[in-house]
Amino acid sequence: MSLNKNKFFFFFSFFTLLILNIQAQEEEQKDSILTQDLNEVVVTATRTVRQLSSLPLPVTLIPQSQLEQTGVTRLNEILAEQTGIIMTADATVGGGEGVQIQGIASDYVLVLIDGVPVVGRSSGNLDLSRFAIGNIKQIEVVKGPSSSLFGSEALGGVINIITEKPSSEKISGQLSHQISTFNNHNSNLSFNQRKKKFGYSLFVDRLSTDGFDLTSSDNSQTVNAFSNYTVNGRLFFEPSKKISVFASGRYFYQDFDIAPSTSTEQDANALIRIDHNASPKTNLQYELYYTNYITDEEAIDLNTDTILLANDFNQKLFRPEVRLNQKFGAHNLLTIGVGLNFETLERTLFADNVSFESQYGYIQYDFKPLSKLNVILGGRFDNHSEYNSQLSPKLSARYQLSPDVAIKGSVGSGFKAPDFRQLYLDFTNASGGGYSVFGKEVELAGIQRLQENNEIANLAVDTSELGERLNAESSVGYNFGLQLKKGSFTTDLNVFRNAFKNLIDTRILAAKTNGQNVFGYINRESVYTQGIEAELKYNGFKSLNLIGGYQLLFAYDKNKQDEIENGEVFARDPATLETVRLESNQYFGLENRSRHTFNFKAFYKIPAWNANANLRVIYRSKFGLTDRNGNTILDDFDNSFVKGYALMNFSFGKTFFKHYQLQFGANNLLNFKGSNPLASQDSEVLINPGIQLFTRLNIQF
């Protein structure tokens, strides 16, 4: 483990002793923060309101209280602390973090805001750091295939950001400002009001930073200075008891300080949703949604003022949808939905503008054939203008063995064709340190162009592999879980397996002379991820809540396993310099997957001080970045492994005069920096920029 163990245990022990000592002196009081709440409900897993504890699917719920106590400001920061979720930079450090769930890459995880999708995967990931969380009510994460409700982009899971709904007749809200390391400033203002049949809310957020550098050997920064703004407004109207209207608009703008080059990003969306309760058993929902994501990048040579790269990206999605929820008795609910997708993409890096449309319909029946058995059966059909029609069925069930024990399981399938980015992208990021991403159809020409410009330090793949055909993919996902509630303990155990055919994954094609990498796409002919997730919650202390989570993950290319078993794969032993036949136990698995991940969270409320404190620890075991010895797999002889490491985050907040809260803390408290194994011998590239201190003032009104 690449961290100072003495420091780790010192901070851990000190914090534990401190909170237990204070807890022993305070009066008997039950902490409301993170206590198991039987009324916690989620909407993403079934598209209907369901109690969290009754769902037959693996779901993570992050409540507003946890967001406020941790002091995080962006979506990627809070997701990184959850069980079975890994933040990965598929397009190198600084390229924007995406999310990996159950070993499945971010391309297959659908991100929603209030139930509708966001777009903008211009450089590989949907960068989750662009989503401010100051006005969020809760975050719901559904693990495993969800294509039966949300389509092909949800093969690996769904993340739904649910914004807060106004409830007070008086104007209420908050104003806050946070200062942290790297001259990072985050300010936001939110207010809302509910007046009889009408309600509204407004959220404004600004973030700016000087960025940071992970490579000391060059003059450029890994993440350049930038500023961004988020504005989100929502309206609620209930003209009658049977009809309610919700309308929202969101606008995001980001500008990197890289003059004379430019890099800007815009994200706008608008939604109107009408709920019609035609009868006590019949509900109709009419939804109209539009979103537009735009980037404008221009890289200019400082010496010659020559334009090195011009990259404009303009993606639009328009989607109408109608849903019917029909109750049959107290526990049976039928959901039917139909909709249309119209999408266009204009991009400088594509030879032509592209567009497509699709029609889809889905049906789901949520019923209880027995008093202790809940079954959800559903499926979705997509008819795409460019690809073959696809059917995505799913079956889930939960059985209550006893008042304390329940078992649950699900199986679902899906289909996903390569998108235009994976085929035709030709991208070099001027703002993120100069990494490149090439689609399969253009990667050979892209590599040759970089070689001609002397920008390639070494190739990670054989040139014969460049430009090979990229095929469509399909998958089947299985989840089987056990839930135990006994007194103050809640335990969730989930065993999962996701089997892919022709999985489209990212890989490193080459290392560049500036310390960055060139990324491309590859089919894994037969790939699977499988493992175990376990989470334990304990709220038996008066004001202390403990949460621990662990994931064991195996992610392999099945065809490569067969080749190894047949004695067809060889590697060079760096110790003896001899070529040896590879054994099965020497095959590590797919890139960027850790065998073990662990998280621990302790939330403590100190009533005597009107304060709260929390400690969060994340551990990730070693993982490999790419094959370096030429046998096309990641094995124990490769020298591209990042050593296991832990990050410790801490925050403390105290409220003054009821409406003023001062908070301070540290992310990466142990100042872990690490080392990127792909760096050249005469340079060092870090994994993490180090400790990040912050303080925040929040005023409620």
Side-chain angles (χ1 to χ4, degrees), residues 135-160:
N135 66 331
I136 291 180
K137 175 186 176 183
Q138 64 189 41
I139 300 170
E140 301 174 5
V141 182
V142 181
K143 299 177 181 178
S146 300
S147 296
S148 62
L149 286 177
F150 296 99
S152 63
E153 290 187 10
L155 287 181
V158 177
I159 299 171
N160 193 6

Side-chain angles (χ1 to χ4, degrees), residues 119 130 249-253 266-270 289-294 315 317:
V119 298
R130 81 179 198 232
R250 176 181 176 271
Y251 178 73
F252 170 84
Y253 177 81
Q266 299 178 65
D267 181 13
N269 59 64
Y289 177 64
Y290 172 79
T291 184
N292 183 200
Y293 177 79
I294 301 173
Q315 183 180 9
L317 171 65

Side-chain angles (χ1 to χ4, degrees), residues 593-597 619-623 642-645:
R593 273 81 171 178
S594 294
R595 183 82 70 243
H596 309 279
T597 55
Y619 171 72
R620 181 178 183 185
S621 67
K622 76 170 186 176
F623 57 95
V642 176
K643 296 179 180 179
Y645 61 87

Side-chain angles (χ1 to χ4, degrees), residues 35 59 101 144 237 256 419 447 467 498 559 573 588 603 667:
T35 300
V59 178
I101 297 179
F237 181 54
F256 281 88
D419 58 33
I447 289 292
N498 300 284
N559 296 90
D573 188 336
F588 186 81
F603 291 85
N667 294 325

Side-chain angles (χ1 to χ4, degrees), residues 258-525:
I258 53 174
S261 299
T262 60
S263 177
T264 62
E265 186 177 15
Q266 299 178 65
D267 181 13
N269 59 64
L271 167 68
I272 183 168
R273 180 184 296 142
I274 300 174
D275 274 74
H276 179 204
N277 295 313
S279 72
K281 294 185 177 181
T282 305
N283 169 260
L284 287 164
Q285 296 176 332
Y286 309 93
E287 190 172 87
L288 195 62
Y289 177 64
Y290 172 79
T291 184
N292 183 200
Y293 177 79
I294 301 173
T295 62
D296 181 9
E297 292 186 298
E298 188 175 75
I300 299 177
D301 189 291
L302 292 174
N303 299 318
T304 64
D305 290 333
T306 304
I307 297 177
L308 302 176
L309 172 70
N311 175 29
D312 295 330
F313 181 101
N314 190 339
Q315 183 180 9
K316 299 176 183 178
L317 171 65
F318 176 71
R319 193 189 76 175
E321 182 174 305
V322 179
R323 290 188 292 272
L324 166 68
N325 295 308
Q326 181 67 48
K327 293 182 179 178
F328 299 95
H331 302 291
N332 300 341
L333 176 63
L334 177 67
T335 299
I336 300 175
V338 294
L340 304 173
N341 281 322
F342 302 93
E343 188 169 359
T344 63
L345 177 59
E346 302 173 8
R347 187 160 197 177
T348 307
L349 303 181
F350 290 171
D352 300 304
N353 296 335
V354 295
S355 65
F356 61 79
E357 63 181 63
S358 63
Q359 306 83 37
Y360 62 87
Y362 57 87
I363 184 170
Q364 175 182 270
Y365 191 42
D366 186 344
F367 63 105
K368 297 187 72 172
L370 302 173
S371 61
K372 296 183 179 182
L373 176 63
N374 176 212
V375 178
I376 301 177
L377 179 62
R380 172 173 167 136
F381 179 78
D382 288 86
N383 180 40
H384 201 285
S385 62
E386 301 297 326
Y387 309 121
N388 294 331
S389 300
Q390 50 187 294
L391 178 65
S392 305
K394 187 170 184 177
L395 172 65
S396 307
R398 182 181 186 275
Y399 187 77
Q400 193 75 40
L401 291 173
S402 71
D404 300 326
V405 182
I407 57 174
K408 54 186 178 181
S410 65
V411 56
S413 67
F415 172 91
K416 188 176 186 300
D419 58 33
F420 293 108
R421 171 181 53 87
Q422 294 164 338
L423 293 174
Y424 302 110
L425 179 64
D426 186 344
F427 174 79
T428 296
N429 187 16
S431 64
Y435 69 91
S436 299
V437 186
F438 295 135
K440 198 64 179 176
E441 298 293 326
V442 299
E443 65 181 12
L444 177 58
I447 289 292
Q448 291 174 344
R449 184 177 70 244
L450 293 178
Q451 287 176 324
E452 292 172 357
N453 294 332
N454 296 319
E455 297 182 54
I456 297 294
N458 58 76
L459 286 176
V461 301
D462 191 275
T463 54
S464 63
E465 299 179 30
L466 299 176
E468 292 181 341
R469 179 178 174 80
L470 199 62
N471 298 312
E473 57 195 321
S474 61
S475 74
V476 178
Y478 307 87
N479 284 271
F480 180 78
L482 174 69
Q483 185 177 66
L484 172 64
K485 293 183 179 180
K486 192 68 175 180
S488 301
F489 282 99
T490 301
T491 303
D492 282 286
L493 180 68
N494 184 57
V495 180
F496 62 88
R497 179 179 172 91
N498 300 284
F500 289 82
K501 290 185 178 180
N502 292 324
L503 173 72
I504 300 173
D505 198 6
T506 57
R507 66 168 175 174
I508 295 175
L509 301 178
K512 302 181 73 174
T513 54
N514 65 354
Q516 298 294 330
N517 297 308
V518 182
F519 295 83
Y521 299 94
I522 188 174
N523 277 122
R524 309 290 188 180
E525 188 171 343

